[in-house]
Amino acid sequence: MIYLCGIPFEFRRDTTYNIKDHKYIMSDTTTPVPAQNLTDGMHVVVDTLKRNGVKVVYGVVGIPVTDLARHLQECGIRYVGFRHEQSAGNAAAITGYLTQKPGILLTVSAPGFLNGLTALANATINGYPMIQISGSSNRAIIDLQQGDYEGLDQMNVAKPFCKASYRINRPEDIPVGIARAIRAAVSGRPGGVYLDLTTALLESVIDQDVIDKCMFVTEDPAPAYMPSAQSVEKAMGLLAQAKHPLIILGKGASYSQTETDIRAFIEKTGIPYFPMSMAKGLLPDDHPQCAIAARSFALENSDVVMLIGARLNWLLSHGKGKHWNPNVKFVQIDIDPEEIDSNQHIQAPIVGDIASSMKCLLSALEKQPFHADTDWMDQIKKAEAPNVAKMAAKLSLNPTPMNFYSALNAVKKVMDKNQDVILVNEGANTLDDTRDVISMQNPRHRLDCGTWGVMGIGMGFAIGAAITTGKRVVCIEGDSAFGFSGMEIETICRFKLPVTIVIFNNGGIYKGDCKNLGGGSDPSPTTLMANAQYDKMIEAFGGIPYNATTPDELQSALEAGLTADRPTLINCVIDPSVGTESGHIGNLNPKVILQK
Ligand code: ADP
Ligand code: MG
């Protein structure tokens, strides 16, 4: 330490700054600068995140972001360390979905970055706001492809997989860089943003005064987007004249947190509706206008369909074909103007955010009330009756070993009594059948594979949801699906999260009894271990294991899990011969296979 006029001075040399001791190692360089007025890139990143309201960061540490995570904790931001970046990214994504603020993922360079990228891409496809912040290596070496440690041109690699991809090169740009990332993630259609922080940036040293001058907090990062009055009027005209109107609620609607207004509109107009998978519970599934059990009948017969935050993508057979009335007309509320007409002609687009749009629709309805023909609702209820009876019959069977339905019947008994539990659900048959059987009563309580039907979201979503909401989480997992993020049960136990995992173990992808067509002793491509004892895994980390071979055992294990003071895992033994290939979407497999 050198003293000039009694003030401690140190010498600045960026690359030899020792971040832990807040000291500079003396060097032969530059002018002396007062140590107490200095800061560095890492601290500025943490400070900017904190000022912008970031409460939790999910990630996996390593070079060059380990100290960054330490500073997050030091600064009061929660850091949740995972075992794999993809799960951490999924936790960030679902945090974004649940809070309307970007969830943050922190990754190390190259491989860690790439591991996180699947979650970032999935968030973008689904409209979940998140920011993947990744450390990266030396630009000069990467750009000349000279082979740096974990060297990869991450910013450019990320571009096709997210809404925006930025690199911050100068510490004074950190506030503006983070502001741009936040805005890009939450404004318009939400999605993933990549933010590249080089080692050089993290260790760069700058006067605190300079940073103070450029520090700011983003104002209104997701501004209201009012629809035009004409678009609302046109939509109302179309709906009022419809003989068989229908409303489809998508996860954009649940994201928008406007269930009160959506419900008021549905009830005042008497229009039947059904929710897409993650919009289940936006209105309670047992709402008298819910047409979910007569979905096909409703689609085939509706003459005007209003989509609220739902896309006419593959999940709605692109709005055409045998499931749809060929003369159907569409009203679509969406924040993204480019979504309109993406598959079908939308006669009445309402481009705006759902919250503002619903307010406009409600006030238009006040001025010119209308009510759908009650006979239409009656027709739907009539069409529903045989489907409800069929489902009741399936649920009442009690085969040995259990099938998906007898297991779900047990789960349903518990979930119906615990409606505030968040349900995470993934798999193929496990996904389809759980969605059909388990009713949801609360918005944003069903979190699943989403737009891509992706596997591997399970433990990440469970952790993100538990951390963000403080609520209990039950994961209904296919045995294959669980495998993609199963190691995160260590994270769940380490953070003592109130999570119960139910594994529908039928010993395979889709099912467990397929044969090796080559006749050899290797298991078939879809075969997993039917006798695997997944429950033993959680024992290793101090959680509570259960093995359930009957619906009664499953019911009591799940009940115990929901009151346990530790995470629980229930290995649920399902008949390996049940389950259909690819669940409900087997038709998406190649249809022509020539017999040779
Ligand atoms: P689902 O799979 O449930 O049908 P999608 O993810 O396909 O839902 O569609 C959600 C749609 O909602 C997207 O087109 C997205 O642009 C839109 N969206 C998301 N948030 C909002 C919002 N706040 N206001 C309006 N539209 C929104
Ligand atoms: Mg399986």
Side-chain angles (χ1 to χ4, degrees):
M1 186 74 70
I2 287 179
Y3 288 83
L4 294 176
C5 308
I7 301 169
F9 277 82
E10 292 186 358
F11 287 88
R12 177 195 290 186
R13 207 183 110 204
D14 296 357
T15 50
T16 53
Y17 178 59
N18 180 336
I19 203 89
K20 279 198 212 85
D21 304 334
H22 295 266
K23 269 198 195 121
Y24 292 87
I25 293 162
M26 287 261 281
S27 75
D28 54 355
T29 52
T30 65
T31 344
V33 182
Q36 68 267 39
N37 275 341
L38 288 176
T39 187
D40 56 78
M42 214 177 262
H43 279 92
V44 181
V45 168
V46 173
D47 189 24
T48 312
L49 290 174
K50 185 158 171 120
R51 285 167 190 257
N52 279 282
V54 169
K55 303 266 183 296
V56 189
V57 170
Y58 306 93
V60 180
V61 295
I63 296 170
V65 296
T66 312
D67 277 326
L68 181 54
R70 289 197 180 103
H71 288 311
L72 288 166
Q73 280 193 327
E74 191 180 24
C75 206
I77 294 178
R78 199 161 183 200
Y79 176 77
V80 182
F82 278 67
R83 306 303 298 264
H84 192 284
E85 293 85 352
Q86 191 182 112
S87 291
N90 286 323
I94 214 62
T95 294
Y97 172 71
L98 293 169
T99 62
Q100 299 182 323
K101 298 194 176 85
I104 311 287
L105 164 66
L106 180 67
T107 56
V108 304
S109 31
F113 155 79
L114 287 170
N115 284 345
L117 202 53
T118 307
L120 189 72
N122 189 54
T124 306
I125 288 294
N126 280 279
Y128 308 145
M130 72 172 275
I131 303 171
Q132 178 175 355
I133 298 177
S134 189
S136 64
S137 304
N138 187 308
R139 292 251 28 99
I141 301 175
I142 290 169
D143 289 352
L144 266 177
Q145 299 185 22
Q146 294 172 306
D148 201 12
Y149 166 75
E150 296 190 344
L152 182 74
D153 184 4
Q154 296 168 195
M155 182 186 75
N156 285 310
V157 169
K159 273 181 186 163
F161 300 105
C162 54
K163 281 184 79 182
S165 180
Y166 304 117
R167 180 184 302 121
I168 306 177
N169 292 298
R170 302 179 299 188
E172 61 271 34
D173 290 337
I174 290 170
V176 93
I178 289 179
R180 282 180 73 67
I182 292 172
R183 280 189 181 280
V186 294
S187 62
R189 175 186 287 166
V193 175
Y194 176 63
L195 192 58
D196 197 75
L197 306 182
T198 60
T199 308
L201 175 86
L202 294 172
E203 67 189 4
S204 61
V205 174
I206 188 165
D207 291 346
Q208 184 65 52
D209 291 349
V210 175
I211 291 298
D212 290 345
K213 285 195 189 104
C214 54
M215 180 61 74
F216 69 98
V217 171
T218 52
E219 292 292 337
D220 194 15
Y225 187 167
M226 293 296 288
S228 77
Q230 298 95 297
S231 70
V232 173
E233 198 181 317
K234 181 153 193 211
M236 290 298 280
L238 209 55
L239 286 169
Q241 284 160 20
K243 288 218 158 7
H244 295 158
L246 176 71
I247 290 174
I248 299 179
L249 303 174
K251 64 172 131 43
S254 36
Y255 175 81
S256 75
Q257 303 190 6
T258 46
E259 41 275 6
T260 310
D261 284 348
I262 289 174
R263 184 174 188 154
F265 188 81
I266 285 175
E267 289 179 349
K268 283 182 183 163
T269 58
I271 300 176
Y273 77 94
F274 71 75
M276 300 299 287
S277 191
M278 279 178 59
K280 269 168 73 82
L282 191 59
L283 274 66
D285 277 351
D286 57 4
H287 189 283
Q289 285 168 254
C290 183
I292 199 163
R295 192 180 187 269
S296 305
F297 175 85
L299 282 182
E300 280 160 25
N301 292 286
S302 294
D303 56 354
V304 175
V305 170
M306 173 154 83
L307 302 154
I308 307 183
R311 285 173 281 191
L312 281 179
N313 57 16
W314 70 280
L315 288 156
L316 284 168
S317 16
H318 306 278
K320 56 193 167 202
K322 62 178 175 157
H323 301 295
W324 288 86
N325 171 358
N327 300 315
V328 65
K329 290 191 167 67
F330 290 103
V331 176
Q332 183 167 26
I333 307 179
D334 207 290
I335 200 160
D336 182 359
E338 288 182 41
E339 185 55 40
I340 307 301
D341 294 338
S342 57
N343 281 282
Q344 292 296 315
H345 173 43
I346 305 294
Q347 284 78 6
I350 300 180
V351 176
D353 72 272
I354 293 169
S356 305
S357 303
M358 290 317 299
K359 292 252 176 293
C360 295
L361 284 165
L362 278 171
S363 73
L365 187 66
E366 198 105 308
K367 285 182 208 130
Q368 273 188 315
F370 68 88
H371 196 281
D373 195 346
T374 50
D375 179 53
W376 169 226
M377 199 65 239
D378 293 345
Q379 286 179 43
I380 287 178
K381 289 291 142 187
K382 222 177 263 163
E384 213 174 81
N387 298 341
V388 172
K390 239 191 263 170
M391 177 60 86
K394 278 196 220 173
L395 291 175
S396 70
L397 297 178
N398 191 3
T400 309
M402 285 186 277
N403 65 16
F404 289 98
Y405 288 102
S406 62
L408 280 167
N409 197 34
V411 172
K412 182 175 169 55
K413 286 179 188 161
V414 184
M415 293 299 280
D416 282 350
K417 281 190 259 152
N418 293 278
Q419 293 171 354
D420 204 27
V421 167
I422 292 183
L423 176 69
V424 171
N425 184 203
E426 64 175 334
N429 294 276
T430 305
L431 177 82
D432 294 333
D433 298 344
T434 304
R435 185 179 50 234
D436 290 349
V437 173
I438 306 296
S439 310
M440 304 307 299
Q441 305 298 320
N442 289 301
R444 296 169 294 283
H445 277 51
R446 186 187 153 81
L447 311 173
D448 67 29
C449 309
T451 306
W452 264 348
V454 71
M455 294 296 123
I457 47 85
M459 299 305 104
F461 275 14
I463 295 166
I467 295 270
T468 305
T469 66
K471 293 187 182 190
R472 284 209 167 253
V473 179
V474 168
C475 308
I476 309 288
E477 299 274 314
D479 52 340
S480 156
F482 173 71
F484 290 88
S485 66
M487 191 62 205
E488 301 301 343
I489 57 176
E490 190 275 334
T491 310
I492 290 170
C493 290
R494 186 165 21 104
F495 280 83
K496 303 182 175 64
L497 299 174
V499 176
T500 295
I501 302 148
V502 183
I503 298 181
F504 278 10
N505 182 5
N506 69 344
I509 301 174
Y510 314 131
K511 57 200 294 202
D513 67 344
C514 293
K515 301 275 170 295
N516 175 343
L517 295 184
S521 60
D522 282 350
S524 86
T526 59
T527 302
L528 300 170
M529 292 175 71
N531 57 358
Q533 290 182 270
Y534 291 101
D535 47 320
K536 299 285 179 206
M537 288 174 69
I538 204 150
E539 240 182 324
F541 306 112
I544 309 175
Y546 294 95
N547 189 56
T549 57
T550 65
D552 286 347
E553 283 174 10
L554 176 55
Q555 187 181 338
S556 54
L558 187 52
E559 276 162 356
L562 286 180
T563 51
D565 60 353
R566 276 177 290 157
T568 46
L569 192 153
I570 306 168
N571 182 58
C572 178
V573 181
I574 305 269
D575 185 348
S577 73
V578 297
T580 39
E581 181 116 347
S582 306
H584 289 184
I585 51 175
N587 62 313
L588 299 179
N589 283 312
K591 285 173 198 58
V592 179
I593 304 170
L594 295 177
Q595 298 296 321
K596 293 203 171 182

